[in-house]
Amino acid sequence: MDYSKYPAEPFRIKMVEPVKMVSKEERAAVAKESGYNTFLIPSKEVYIDLLTDSGTNAMSDRQWAGMMLGDEAYAGSRNFEHLESTVKELLGVKHVVPTHQGRGAENILSTIAIKPGQYVPGNMYFTTTRFHQEHNGGIFVDIVRDEAHDATIDVPFKGNIDINKLKKLIDEKGAESIAYVCLAVTVNLAGGQPVSMANIKEVSALCREHGIKVFFDATRFAENAYFIKEQEEGYADKTITEIVHEMFSYADGATMSGKKDGIVNIGGFLALNDEELFMAAKEMVVVYEGMPSYGGMAGRDMEALAIGLKESMQFEYIQHRVLQVRYLGERLLEAGVPIVEPVGGHAVFLDARRFCPHLEQKDFPAQALANELFIESGVRSMERGIVSAGRDIKTGENHTPKLETVRLTIPRRVYTYKHMDVVADAVIKLYNHKEDIKGLKFVYEPKQLRFFTARFEHI
């Protein structure tokens, strides 16, 4: 392994939070008490927390300083003006509606843009996104390229939309039956896979030809821009900001969780270019979130988000962020551990099908693997497979995704390469006695977004 490829952390550590490792026996008891659901494990019991990169990031000194400038006025906050101008400048959009986090933006967009019975094609589902689309009468259609569903295929821009699938949908259903195209940059459940600029342009051109709007799930847009700079011809000399600006020029708007590439602990927004949709969104934000000038966010959080968005486009930051994830992936590949390839921008995904070939998908192998990793090492991760996929809204049958994975999600500016070594060593050790991993079954299954609060026991 060539360690020289991986740059040192482009920051100094000013504050620390102590962590400790509890005994394996204690962790086994905690896992059982938590219903073998890593979401229900108390944070104090976790040694290295890779559950999510959502809101778990370390803010910069400038962001913390900005928190002290919070204007908590109920209407017309100075911090909203800063956030609004920053989003307009960096993304090139016309209108900004703040929300408490990304799913607030998803809810509003789905409510104002979907008519019951319309189709919402996208490059692979995401849990909360699909819920809001289906809750508002939409029908999700997966139009990601086929390779995205195969963990073993290592190709660039694996998150691209298959343009022929989109054309077929338009031809068969008619453009008027399509609410909009939801284009995720990057594609989370495919392994954090990016979308090429060429694909974004092609999708945009086809949709504009047919009068169909394109909305980004822009949660990890800066990571996507880094991959374009690194891997797409003609962009090596472009800045991240220039690439981001071009990306958004092909979209009609975006939902954004600021808790990822905004590098904050809470917050999000809905970006729109259409005036009519913007007016409708402002009406809905008052119902679900708060005033259009805060949308469920405190002024101090809007200030931190405005600063974080700018920091996310600094090349030194985003290069280290993506390569730290890649470092963990390369260590696991060297040891023969099956993961989703290529390594994406925010996480390494263990391929639970190949990791636990003795378990069938109905035995929830990814859920079982995530829990065994915690018991083995104190590392908390997340299932992204049949449990997360949920049930078909009409038939009640389990969705059975081809990808059955455990997501090792790296928070931004929180852990060092040594932490990645600890994680890699733990996964490798577990892989060497993988046959001991037992399957799980439900003892409590919520009707909506079950992966958050479900409880399990060993079969």
Side-chain angles (χ1 to χ4, degrees):
M1 183 168 174
D2 183 4
Y3 293 94
S4 66
K5 296 187 297 184
Y6 299 100
E9 288 75 11
F11 50 80
R12 287 196 295 262
I13 297 170
K14 288 188 175 182
M15 184 172 67
V16 297
E17 176 189 354
V19 294
K20 65 182 180 71
M21 175 86 82
V22 300
S23 70
K24 186 173 182 178
E25 291 73 19
E26 290 175 291
R27 295 195 300 274
V30 167
K32 185 176 182 179
E33 290 168 9
S34 302
Y36 296 106
N37 186 342
T38 55
F39 279 94
L40 302 181
I41 296 173
S43 174
K44 64 182 179 180
E45 310 292 354
V46 176
Y47 181 52
I48 296 177
D49 201 345
L50 307 186
L51 183 73
T52 181
D53 62 332
S54 179
T56 57
N57 309 295
M59 293 200 300
S60 69
D61 52 356
R62 288 166 178 79
Q63 286 178 289
W64 281 109
M67 295 278 282
M68 300 306 294
L69 300 176
D71 174 9
E72 307 306 339
Y74 191 78
S77 167
R78 293 190 303 272
N79 306 123
F80 171 65
E81 292 178 358
H82 185 199
L83 175 61
E84 181 183 44
S85 64
T86 299
V87 173
K88 288 182 176 181
E89 174 193 347
L90 296 179
L91 308 187
V93 296
K94 294 179 180 179
H95 305 293
V96 182
V97 180
T99 57
H100 75 285
Q101 60 184 76
R103 68 194 60 174
E106 292 171 350
N107 177 43
I108 292 172
L109 179 62
S110 298
T111 301
I112 64 177
I114 298 174
K115 296 175 184 176
Q118 283 188 314
Y119 296 90
V120 188
N123 50 342
M124 200 174 285
Y125 83 98
F126 184 68
T127 51
T128 60
T129 312
R130 188 175 67 187
F131 169 81
H132 288 299
Q133 291 167 353
E134 293 178 344
H135 185 68
N136 284 279
I139 303 167
F140 170 76
V141 181
D142 187 1
I143 55 170
V144 76
R145 61 189 295 186
D146 290 340
E147 293 89 341
H149 293 285
D150 189 333
T152 65
I153 297 177
D154 186 345
V155 294
F157 300 111
K158 208 172 175 181
N160 281 357
I161 280 177
D162 185 323
I163 203 71
N164 290 323
K165 290 181 182 179
L166 179 54
K167 287 178 179 177
K168 182 180 179 182
L169 183 66
I170 295 171
D171 291 341
E172 291 181 354
K173 305 299 182 182
E176 69 283 352
S177 70
I178 297 175
Y180 57 87
V181 172
C182 182
L183 179 53
V185 287
T186 59
V187 183
N188 188 346
L189 296 189
Q193 305 298 337
V195 180
S196 71
M197 191 72 81
N199 188 247
I200 294 172
K201 290 168 66 175
E202 191 174 13
V203 170
S204 176
L206 177 63
C207 287
R208 288 178 179 176
E209 177 186 338
H210 291 276
I212 301 169
K213 287 183 167 53
V214 176
F215 291 104
F216 288 164
D217 175 347
T219 293
R220 298 179 179 87
F221 70 93
E223 293 172 13
N224 200 94
Y226 176 82
F227 283 109
I228 289 174
K229 180 178 176 65
E230 181 187 58
Q231 299 178 17
E232 191 162 0
E233 186 178 354
Y235 289 93
D237 296 328
K238 299 280 189 181
T239 67
I240 298 297
T241 302
E242 289 170 335
I243 295 170
V244 167
H245 208 274
E246 182 180 347
M247 284 169 55
F248 278 84
S249 73
Y250 303 117
D252 295 285
T255 57
M256 174 71 188
S257 171
K259 298 167 68 178
K260 286 83 168 177
D261 273 357
I263 328 180
V264 291
N265 306 124
I266 198 68
F269 58 83
L270 174 61
L272 296 164
N273 289 329
D274 184 276
E275 187 73 27
E276 187 175 340
L277 284 178
F278 173 58
M279 297 305 294
K282 285 206 298 183
E283 293 178 13
M284 296 306 298
V285 80
V286 172
V287 176
Y288 288 114
E289 302 277 332
M291 284 289 289
S293 58
Y294 72 87
M297 296 177 67
R300 56 184 175 269
D301 293 315
M302 289 190 283
E303 188 68 21
L305 177 53
I307 297 168
L309 287 169
K310 294 178 181 177
E311 292 182 352
S312 73
M313 299 194 199
Q314 296 170 358
F315 179 74
E316 292 77 15
Y317 155 77
I318 195 64
Q319 180 191 44
H320 171 267
R321 191 298 185 273
V322 173
L323 293 188
Q324 186 184 48
V325 177
R326 193 175 296 170
Y327 172 87
L328 173 59
E330 189 168 331
R331 279 226 46 207
L332 295 177
L333 284 171
E334 279 193 340
V337 176
I339 67 172
V340 174
E341 299 180 64
V343 177
H346 71 290
V348 174
F349 287 67
L350 305 179
D351 184 356
R353 287 183 184 273
R354 289 183 290 155
F355 201 113
C356 302
H358 60 292
L359 296 179
E360 297 181 41
Q361 193 171 28
K362 65 180 178 62
D363 301 326
F364 308 145
Q367 189 75 29
L369 174 55
N371 278 277
E372 288 303 317
L373 179 59
F374 169 73
I375 294 170
E376 179 67 44
S377 63
V379 174
R380 175 159 64 169
S381 58
M382 178 195 296
E383 183 269 0
R384 279 300 186 221
I386 189 172
V387 176
S388 292
R391 295 184 181 272
D392 186 284
I393 196 169
K394 292 183 179 179
T395 68
E397 295 296 317
N398 281 314
H399 290 296
T400 53
K402 293 181 180 179
L403 289 177
E404 181 75 19
T405 65
V406 172
R407 194 180 76 179
L408 306 172
T409 332
I410 315 303
R412 295 159 184 80
R413 302 190 295 209
V414 172
Y415 295 117
T416 65
Y417 285 109
K418 183 58 181 176
H419 287 106
M420 298 301 100
D421 286 332
V422 171
V423 174
D425 291 343
V427 173
I428 293 166
K429 181 179 179 182
L430 186 61
Y431 185 61
N432 289 333
H433 58 88
K434 56 185 178 294
E435 296 82 5
D436 296 334
I437 299 174
K438 301 176 182 177
L440 296 170
K441 62 182 180 180
F442 281 117
V443 292
Y444 166 63
E445 181 185 359
K447 291 183 179 180
Q448 310 293 351
L449 298 174
R450 63 189 185 183
F451 62 93
F452 282 126
T453 56
R455 301 183 71 87
F456 305 85
E457 65 181 11
H458 284 126
I459 294 172

